Each structure stands twice: as C-alpha cells, then as structure tokens.
Amino acid sequence: MGADLVAVLPEALLFLGGMVTLVGGSFTPRARQRRMGIVAAAATVAGLVASLVAWEGDTRAVFSGTFTVDTSTGATRVIVTVSLLLILLIASGEVRDHPRESETYSLLLFGGAGALLLAGSTDLAVLVVAFLLSSIPLYGLVGIIARPESPEAALKTYLCGALFGILLMLGAVLLYGLAGRAGYSSLAAELTDAPSAAVAAGGVLVLMGLLFKAGGVPGHFWVPDATQGASVSAAAFLTTIPKIGAIVAITRLVAVLPGDLRWATVLGVLAVASMTIGNLAALAQDDVRRLLGWSTVSQVGYLLAAAAVTRISDQGQPALLFFLAGYALTNLAAFAVAAAAPDRRSLEDWAGFASTRPGLSAALVVALLGLVGTPPTAVFIGKLTTMGATWGAGLAWLAVAIALNSVVSLFYYLRWLRAALRPAAQLEEGSSTGGRGAPTAALVAAFATVAMGLTAGPVWLILA
C-alpha cells in the first residue's frame, strides 16, 4: 500500500493542495486570500517535481491494477502541472481580492487532480470516479465569478455534464456486465467472445462521456458558452486541463476493446466532425473568447486524430503526447493574452493592440499562428507527426482532413491578428491590463511553444 501511495504522489499533492486552499481560505481574512494562491502554486510545483522524479520509473499498475503509471501518465502529469501553473498566473490578477479567490484556487487544483486520475485510470469504476472528480470543479469554476453570461454557461455545462455522465456510467455498467470485470487488463480478454454489438454500444457510451470532458463532438455544446461566460482563467482551464485527461483516457479505453481498425475509424470520424464543426463555427464569431471556444473544439479533432492511431501505429502515442503538450502551451498563451486585455471582447475592440502592447502582440501572433500549425511552433510538429502517423496507418483520409481544416482555421485566426495589428481610431486611455500574471503567462507560454518546436527531437525521444 505504501508503494502504491508513493506512485500517485503527484495526484495526492494536487488534491491535498486543494483541500488546504479550501479550508485555509475559510480562516484567512479576505484581504489576505492571495496567500492561498501561493499555497496552490506551491502544491502544483511539488506535484511537478514529484512527476519528474517518478518519470524514469518502469510501467507499473498500482492499487490492484486500477491505476497505471507509464509514459502517458508521466507526460500527462507534467503537462497538467505546468498548465496549472500558467493558469494560476492568469488567475492571480483576475481573481485577486475577489470574494471567491481561495475557492477558485482550490477548484483549479481539484480539477487538475481529477484530470490526472482520469488519464491514469485502468478500471471502469475508477474511471467513473475520476470523471466526477474532474467534472464537479468544472461546474463551479464556470459560474464562481459572476458575469452576465455565467448563469446560462454554468447551467448548460452542468446539464451537459449530467447527461454525458449518465451515458458514461451506462457504458461502464454494460462493459462490466459483458466482461464480469471492471479492470482493463481483464476487459481485453473477456470482451473478445462477447456480442460485438453490445461491446460497441458500451464502448461508444463511455466514449461519449469522455468526449464531454474533451469538448469534442458530440459532447461539445457547452464549450463556446462556457468559454464566453466564465472568467478567462476558468475558460483557460476548461479548454486545456480536462481535455488532456480525457484524450489519454480515450486511448487507454480503446486499447482494450476488440477491433483495432474499427475503433480507429470511429475516433477518426469523430475527429473529422470535431475539427470541421469547430472551424466552421469559429469563422462566424466576433467575440474572441467564443472564437477561442470553437477553436478548442476544432483542436480536439486534431488530438482525436492522433488518439485514433495510438493502437495501430508506433508513432501514434509520442505524436499524441507531443501534440497535447504543444496544444496546452499554445492555447494557454492565447487565453493569457485575452486575460491581459479583459476590456477587449469583440474583434473590433482589438484595434490598436499592437501599437500599445507590442510584447503581448508578439505572443498573440505566436499563439494564433501556432494553433494554425505554423513552424516552428510545437503544434506544427504535433500536426505534422499526427498526419504522418495517420497516413502511415492507412488512414490517409484523416491526414487530408487535418490539412484541409488547418487551412480553414487560418481565416479566423487571421481575422483576430488583422484586428490587433490595425491602428486604433483614437488614442486609448485607461484600459485594464489584467495585472502582471496574465502578461507573464502569455510571454512564457509563447516562448515555450517555440522552444518546444525547435527542440522537438529530444522531446520526441523522451515520449517515444
């Protein structure tokens, strides 16, 4: 038991940090709530250090095989903790002195712990618990900082989460009934002789629940409303952290279901639907946060394309893990820039941004061109390796869909850039800057995505 507890130390540190922040915040004067932000950052740094220390360990199953520590778990831990640190930076300016400051920090940590548990789950029962642990903080984060759009966004997120949570549980129960076991190690053997239609139904139902967490089609309806209605730091969280855990969980699930090519095709079709619907919807958006919301729906499609070939291509898993890291950094850079200019909501509001804030404009250029997949950013390497893996695995149509959708996405990202580079009609005065945290997070994330793209070779060797 002791070794098992050590194996899940990063998850435990995040959860304990959330508890300390939540309880400590209740006994801390409102004017000193920022102390809880320091506690949250310390817990996240401790989780990152524990993740790096545990990285070199062999693949092993702990807690009777219900949780697996391997390369995917290690990479997910590092990506999630680094992303949490950036989100805490963004939140430091946005929620400072807010009545719910400490609660926001605790929800971010609980959500991060849930995403890590989701990614490492190799048991249907643990998967359900992880889904709930990562979902409940999400509902709170969307509505905790009241904005005019927050009630609708929180209600829609909750209702969608409840519906897709029920579907996930139904699928888990169906697979358990067919196999007589909940552990993934047993599912692979026991489901081979089960009726294929029932196995397919169970697998698809669990997949639907995980796609809600990932924000992919058909569980994507809540994403643009939540992104627009929540605070920017909450929007950055919900479009990054849950996706990472859910996508890795999807790869673990389909790896134990019978029918390699069939599940690759299912994920491929869902990938094309997500990237196409997300991109077409983003073309018509004027609110930059809603634009980023639809953008993340399309990005889930690219990630699902990589997930589709993890089972049938040796290049699939490293491509997916690299893509996840690159996406997290690039997406957070874009949201951090938005957080640094909270008064600029529509595309027209961004006129004059380049002349008044050139450093952040450079970060915005890197983030938006990075999301398109422009070299030398990390997303470019992620998309390139994903296209190579899908093409090599015999899914050429999926590689073509990625290329075509990347071209479509260029139009709405350029609309934002064109607005930011356009001179303002009059001199701007008194616009909010969102504190120091968001600009710092934007510059760090933008630099990291370029650095990761330039050092793709060594990073790939670690993930392979």
Side-chain angles (χ1 to χ4, degrees), residues 2 9 27 37 62 96 100 128 139 145 158 176 238 288 312 425 432 445 447 454 464:
L9 188 58
F27 296 95
V62 297
R96 177 166 293 177
R100 297 289 174 264
V128 171
Y139 308 144
I145 296 181
Y158 173 74
Y176 175 77
L238 66 90
V288 294
I312 56 177
S432 177
F447 173 80
L454 294 174

Side-chain angles (χ1 to χ4, degrees), residues 174 178 194-203 262:
L174 182 54
L178 292 170
S196 57
V199 173
R262 181 177 65 195

Side-chain angles (χ1 to χ4, degrees), residues 42-203:
T44 308
V45 170
L48 174 60
V49 172
S51 303
L52 293 172
V53 170
W55 184 283
E56 294 298 330
D58 297 329
T59 298
R60 60 191 187 282
V62 297
F63 292 108
S64 303
T66 58
F67 189 88
T68 296
V69 180
D70 56 11
T71 302
S72 294
T73 307
T76 302
R77 287 169 168 174
V78 173
I79 297 169
V80 166
T81 49
V82 170
S83 299
L84 270 178
L85 286 173
L86 291 171
I87 293 169
L88 287 171
L89 258 181
I90 297 172
S92 63
E94 189 175 32
V95 305
R96 177 166 293 177
D97 298 330
H98 190 276
R100 297 289 174 264
E101 182 175 357
S102 61
E103 287 87 347
T104 301
Y105 296 138
S106 64
L107 289 174
L108 290 173
L109 293 186
F110 285 141
L116 293 186
L117 189 61
L118 198 64
S121 298
T122 47
D123 184 278
L124 292 172
V126 176
L127 184 72
V128 171
V129 172
F131 178 87
L132 295 175
L133 179 59
S134 60
S135 295
I136 294 172
L138 186 65
Y139 308 144
L141 279 171
V142 173
I144 196 168
I145 296 181
R147 303 168 54 86
E149 307 93 339
S150 296
E152 180 186 352
L155 181 62
K156 184 172 287 187
T157 304
Y158 173 74
L159 292 177
C160 286
L163 171 63
F164 283 92
I166 291 171
L167 295 179
L168 182 141
M169 293 179 199
L170 284 175
V173 169
L174 182 54
L175 291 177
Y176 175 77
L178 292 170
R181 301 284 191 279
Y184 285 9
S185 58
S186 301
L187 287 179
E190 300 295 337
L191 291 178
T192 304
D193 298 327
S196 57
V199 173

Side-chain angles (χ1 to χ4, degrees), residues 375-387:
T377 60
V379 172
F380 166 71
I381 302 296
K383 282 189 178 180
L384 191 65
T385 53
T386 297
M387 292 170 64

Side-chain angles (χ1 to χ4, degrees), residues 265-345:
T265 304
V266 169
L267 289 182
V269 170
L270 291 170
V272 173
S274 291
M275 64 179 81
T276 304
I277 291 174
N279 281 329
L280 292 180
L283 285 172
Q285 302 307 317
D286 186 58
D287 186 299
V288 294
R289 298 183 191 178
R290 197 169 180 84
L291 184 151
L292 283 176
W294 281 112
S295 161
T296 64
V297 174
S298 70
Q299 295 292 333
V300 173
Y302 305 129
L303 295 171
L304 280 175
V309 294
T310 53
R311 190 172 169 178
I312 56 177
S313 170
D314 294 336
Q315 305 300 310
Q317 177 174 301
L320 173 63
L321 297 178
F322 191 99
F323 203 161
L324 282 172
Y327 164 74
L329 290 171
T330 313
N331 187 58
L332 290 177
F335 274 99
V337 174
D343 295 336
R344 300 176 189 266
R345 296 300 300 262

